[in-house]
């Protein structure tokens, strides 16, 4: 991790959270982390679109940031059912997750589409969290670095606007399986080299790890020198677990 950066601990609620439960979760996270986390890490929650405005109100006055889980590649227009990056900024978001493997593999998002979405996020001054990661067959074939290298090259537009990268092996997401420390470090080191090749600020871009991070393994994963924080799915739906992960960043 670059020496001067703060770690980023981001919770991806995915398609979970109706109003009462989502607001209770946000309130509990604020209460759990009051005064504790902001010295050491940036903490963000990424609820579904329907909860962005009310969760923004719950987070007001805390140091916890709001993020979104996706945006359209255009800034406005006749795109029924879609949400544009400026709407997310307007709702109080300071991050947007893009290229998550559930969208790449289950909804067929291509690198080209992800790249266009990053362009839209940048136009809205919304830092994207660009997700990359190999599938289990690709890891077994020894193709992990080729896959993440290609995803990075093809999903990252030219430019130097704010960026976070998240390495999320597809087979580790929601599975309880986590790569070994050495495997995580190797992919992060490779991504760092690639970022330094294409961006003047490549050394300072946070590179997160995501995939089955929980209260029990967060300290070990965040303790890997190359890891700049974590993107948390399932464990971010429990305030105590998410707070424990955030505290592990200290
Ligand atoms: P998980 O999800 O923590 O439930 O494995 C991570 C993610 O999809 O970002």
């Amino acid at each position: 991790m670059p020496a001067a950066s703060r770690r980023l601990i981001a919770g991806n609620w995915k398609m979970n959270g109706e109003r009462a439960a989502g607001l209770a979760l946000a309130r509990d996270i604020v209460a759990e982390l009051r005064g504790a986390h902001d010295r050491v890490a940036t903490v963000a929650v990424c609820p579904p679109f329907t909860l962005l405005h009310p969760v923004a109100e719950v987070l007001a006055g805390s140091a916890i940031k709001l993020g979104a889980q996706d945006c359209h590649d255009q800034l406005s227009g006749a795109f029924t059912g879609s949400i544009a990056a400026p709407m997310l900024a307007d709702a109080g978001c300071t991050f947007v997750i893009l290229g998550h493997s559930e969208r790449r593999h289950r909804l067929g998002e291509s690198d080209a589409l992800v790249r266009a979405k990053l362009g839209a996020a940048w136009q809205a001054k919304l830092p994207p969290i660009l997700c990359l990661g190999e599938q289990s067959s690709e890891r077994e074939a020894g193709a992990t670095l080729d896959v993440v290298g290609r995803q990075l090259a093809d999903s990252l537009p030219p430019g130097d606007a704010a960026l976070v990268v998240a390495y999320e092996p597809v087979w580790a997401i929601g599975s309880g399986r986590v790569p070994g420390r050495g495997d995580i470090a190797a992919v992060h080191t490779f991504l760092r080299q690639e970022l330094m090749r294409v961006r003047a600020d490549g050394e300072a871009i946070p590179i997160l790890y995501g995939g089955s991070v929980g209260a029990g393994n967060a300290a070990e994963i965040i303790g890997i020198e190359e890891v700049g924080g974590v993107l948390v799915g399932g464990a971010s739906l429990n305030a105590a677990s998410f707070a424990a992960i955030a505290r592990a960043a200290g």
Side-chain angles (χ1 to χ4, degrees):
M1 191 184 76
S5 355
R6 293 159 65 85
R7 292 186 169 88
L8 173 61
I9 312 297
N12 173 9
W13 294 6
K14 308 191 178 183
M15 197 172 70
N16 295 292
E18 287 160 17
R19 189 178 170 87
L23 295 191
L25 175 58
R27 276 189 215 107
D28 290 349
I29 291 171
V30 170
E32 286 269 359
L33 289 175
R34 184 161 287 132
H37 67 286
D38 53 332
R39 291 187 294 270
V40 289
T42 300
V43 176
V45 295
C46 305
F49 293 136
T50 48
L51 289 183
L52 289 176
H53 277 291
V55 167
E57 284 170 18
V58 173
L59 301 183
S62 84
I64 300 172
K65 310 283 186 208
L66 185 68
Q69 301 173 20
D70 183 44
C71 70
H72 198 268
D73 64 327
Q74 299 295 310
L75 298 181
S76 67
F79 299 102
T80 301
S82 297
I83 303 284
M87 298 171 181
L88 302 176
D90 188 46
C93 292
T94 49
F95 295 100
V96 58
I97 297 169
L98 292 175
H100 191 281
S101 65
E102 285 152 15
R103 299 196 65 87
R104 288 178 183 271
H105 299 300
R106 299 181 67 176
L107 299 173
E109 286 197 3
S110 64
D111 287 322
L113 179 59
V114 174
R115 177 187 169 108
K117 290 183 175 197
L118 263 90
W122 282 350
Q123 276 185 268
K125 307 254 180 298
L126 197 55
I129 301 175
L130 170 61
C131 300
L132 314 165
E134 83 286 2
Q135 305 190 69
S136 64
S137 56
E138 293 165 332
R139 172 159 287 265
E140 280 155 24
T144 298
L145 299 186
D146 290 343
V147 169
V148 298
R150 193 209 65 234
Q151 288 176 332
L152 183 68
D154 292 352
S155 340
L156 185 61
D160 58 2
L163 175 69
V164 176
V165 171
Y167 168 53
E168 297 205 302
V170 179
W171 52 273
I173 293 176
S175 66
R177 294 169 58 212
V178 174
R181 292 173 61 98
D183 291 327
I184 295 175
V187 177
H188 276 63
T189 299
F190 171 75
L191 290 172
R192 173 71 60 213
Q193 285 164 356
E194 293 300 295
L195 287 167
M196 286 173 67
R197 220 163 42 76
V198 295
R199 299 223 346 178
D201 63 347
E203 203 169 355
I205 292 168
I207 307 177
L208 315 184
Y209 168 79
S212 295
V213 176
N217 61 15
E220 187 185 359
I221 291 170
I222 296 169
I224 300 170
E225 202 190 323
E226 291 80 1
V227 170
V230 285
L231 182 54
V232 185
S236 74
L237 295 172
N238 177 292
S241 300
F242 187 59
I245 294 167
R247 286 194 204 99

